Amino acid sequence: MKLPFSGWSLIRLYTILVYLFMFLPIVVVIVLSFNPQQFASFPMQGFSLKWYVQLAQNEAILRAFKNSLVLGTLTALIASAIAVPAAMAFVRYSFRGKNTLNTLLLAPIMIPEVVLGVALLLFIRWLQQPKSFALLLAGHVILTLPYVLLIVQARMVSIKRVYEEAALSLGASPLQTFKEVTLPLLMPAVLAGMLFSFTISFDDITATLFWATAEHQTVPVRIFGMLRHSISPEINALGTVMIVFTIMTPLLAGYCIRRFSKN
Amino acid sequence: MKESRWRPWLLLSPSLTAIFFLLVVPVLFVVVYSFWLRAPTGAAIPAFQFGNYARFFEDLFYPTILFRTLRVSVICVLLCLVMGYIPAYFFYRSKSRYRQALILLIMVPFWISFIIRTMSWINILGANGFLNYTLMRFGIITEPLSLLYNEAAVLMGLIQYLLPFMILNIYVSLEAIDKNLLEAARSMGCNEWQAFREVTLPLSLPGVSAGCLLVFVLTAGTYLPPMILGGPGNEMIANLIFNRVIGTLDWPFGSAISVILLLLLGCIVWTYNRYLGINTLFKAFKS
């Protein structure tokens, strides 16, 4: 079952090159963020943390970070709160139009974000409402709902029905059964879905550019604004913070889930 | 169990309400607005006519952008396929201890902010960027090349963004292949390449097509890479929509362009669904 040596090593070399393509730009962002010069360019003239200091004093960025955190957390909570019952309905019951409705709920993945951005903005304009945090939140919930639904549904399929039936036959109400049996078994998927939803919300730019107001800017919208001038080491420093943050979040969450489930 | 007849609807009601008011109705509004007129004051006048669509196809300017969007999407799909199949195959066949870690690593860019990944290419391709610096350092070129603000730069950003989707889709369908089939092919006298061509490749096609569809749809709706890495003259249809709606506040025309984009993608998704089933698309997410 082994390929001729040359063929396999070519495949390996090719894979390494693909990894290089994927990671070189990211590594360069991190490296250039320590460049003391005014411009993000090579060759580097030393090593300095001054852009990080400047970043920490940038009020607009700090506010955007706070906005993004609040928005991402609320999005994750709401999206999972409505996705869990929906997943339950799709997996545990059969009813007419099930497949169509399932596809409908997954539609936001297939609809371009610009169209969704225009559509929701048009709708609230028609309702004569101003742009607000609520619009941003509603939009992000719709953007992330399909992913949470997919993750929770996949897990729900693998939870055997007998556990629920046992609880029901012992006299538990459907709500009790859900709270005592289904939800605890489902929890890893719910947490994974929330994490996914948080990340998508934290990261979204295209639709958010339509919905964000001046006082409710998110981090990507802020970066977008900064990029209009030119790329500076400060943006690279911010990029590095974001990279560390987005890589640490799933790792930390994974660690917490493991510790949580041991207890 | 009489009550179980309405229970699924009760469970579904929050999500269906959300999707109805935040997706279905707003998209219908886009369709309606696309037939309306824009008054000189900027307000939209409810008057049913096809003027916005006629305007799109009258001047070559707009169809050119539509055509560019299609071209970039097709090229992006092909490049992602070429760059994605081999790493996916490597994951599938590798016996390395680090296999799991490598798969996880390819998912890492997916977690990193899209705008950071897009702008990171400026550091690579810019006049004083990594590539020009390296080439000049080794004396290959004497003047920096202008690598940024063209279609190739847009493609770089797009591929880096979309490649994990392709790799993951192909890998999931490769993993699902029964390894006994390969043994059988080998015992029938196939060599490695024949076994790949006759067994592995055809069986991985569902993942390939799911990956291609996803990459195509995401590219066709892309806004950021053309905006940041493409110069003027490299806009795609999403940039056009954004400029009409946010820039010139021409809602009816922006809506008409949105409908054209939706129809285009709708046709492609519909064709895919007809022959392969839309559910195959979401396999990779479930793993």
Side-chain angles (χ1 to χ4, degrees), chain A residues 1-257:
Chain A
M1 281 295 281
K2 211 170 175 179
L3 275 161
F5 181 73
S6 63
W8 185 242
S9 49
L10 270 178
I11 288 175
R12 194 153 52 187
L13 182 69
Y14 191 98
T15 306
I16 293 169
L17 288 177
V18 169
Y19 271 88
L20 205 65
F21 175 85
M22 297 293 287
F23 287 97
L24 184 67
I26 295 165
V27 172
V28 170
V29 166
I30 298 172
V31 170
L32 281 181
S33 72
F34 298 110
N35 191 1
Q37 273 173 296
Q38 188 67 38
F39 301 103
S41 61
F42 287 98
M44 277 180 65
Q45 309 271 297
F47 178 92
S48 149
L49 289 173
K50 74 176 197 196
W51 298 109
Y52 288 91
V53 176
Q54 186 164 327
L55 194 64
Q57 289 158 352
N58 188 330
E59 287 290 326
I61 289 286
L62 294 177
R63 221 177 14 244
F65 239 105
K66 209 188 94 204
N67 282 336
S68 279
L69 282 177
V70 172
L71 180 65
T73 310
L74 287 175
T75 301
L77 288 172
I78 299 174
S80 55
I82 63 181
V84 170
M88 186 100 181
F90 284 131
V91 177
R92 290 287 185 258
Y93 298 90
S94 65
F95 50 92
R96 264 179 51 168
K98 186 158 118 168
N99 282 331
T100 315
L101 290 179
N102 203 347
T103 309
L104 178 71
L105 286 180
L106 299 179
I109 297 184
M110 304 304 290
I111 294 181
E113 270 185 47
V114 237
V115 177
L116 211 58
V118 175
L120 210 49
L121 203 51
L122 202 60
F123 185 50
I124 63 146
R125 244 172 71 105
W126 182 81
L127 291 172
Q128 300 191 322
Q129 294 297 312
K131 286 190 204 177
S132 63
F133 184 76
L135 167 74
L136 205 50
L137 183 58
H140 278 212
V141 168
I142 279 297
L143 279 177
T144 64
L145 180 62
Y147 298 96
V148 187
L149 187 63
L150 279 171
I151 293 169
V152 175
Q153 223 171 319
R155 170 80 184 168
M156 187 81 90
V157 171
S158 69
I159 296 173
K160 286 203 188 76
R161 201 174 227 157
V162 280
Y163 300 129
E164 290 165 11
E165 279 162 0
L168 286 170
S169 72
L170 289 170
S173 72
L175 195 64
Q176 274 176 315
T177 309
F178 176 78
K179 253 173 41 192
E180 302 291 330
V181 179
T182 319
L183 192 59
L185 289 169
L186 203 59
M187 220 44 209
V190 176
L191 291 176
M194 280 167 75
L195 187 62
F196 222 78
S197 160
F198 178 86
T199 313
I200 292 170
S201 161
F202 201 87
D203 191 21
D204 186 77
I205 175 77
T206 309
T208 309
L209 279 175
F210 281 91
W211 301 328
T213 59
E215 69 266 36
H216 289 119
Q217 289 195 339
T218 61
V219 179
V221 171
R222 194 70 225 141
I223 298 174
F224 188 78
M226 289 163 83
L227 276 174
R228 287 212 181 143
H229 309 292
S230 79
I231 186 159
S232 70
E234 194 184 5
I235 301 184
N236 280 325
L238 180 55
T240 307
V241 173
M242 293 274 281
I243 291 168
V244 171
F245 182 76
T246 40
I247 293 176
M248 286 310 284
T249 311
L251 287 181
L252 212 67
Y255 174 77
C256 289
I257 291 172

Side-chain angles (χ1 to χ4, degrees), chain B residues 112-125:
Chain B
I112 294 173
S113 172
F114 181 29
I115 194 162
I116 298 294
R117 275 184 288 165
T118 307
M119 70 113 206
S120 71
W121 284 98
I122 301 177
N123 292 326
I124 300 286
L125 301 172

Side-chain angles (χ1 to χ4, degrees), chain B residues 212-277:
Chain B
C212 287
L213 181 74
L214 214 57
V215 170
F216 187 94
V217 169
L218 290 172
T219 309
T222 194
Y223 170 78
L224 205 58
M227 178 77 200
I228 291 182
L229 302 172
N234 285 300
E235 302 130 307
M236 285 170 47
I237 202 153
N239 304 89
L240 193 58
I241 296 172
F242 192 88
N243 293 342
R244 294 302 122 161
V245 170
I246 301 291
T248 59
L249 295 176
D250 194 342
W251 292 83
F253 192 46
S255 299
I257 308 170
S258 303
V259 172
I260 292 169
L261 177 59
L262 270 187
L263 283 177
L264 176 81
L265 294 181
C267 286
I268 288 162
V269 173
W270 183 82
T271 313
Y272 181 94
N273 186 32
R274 195 182 146 87
Y275 292 104
L276 295 155

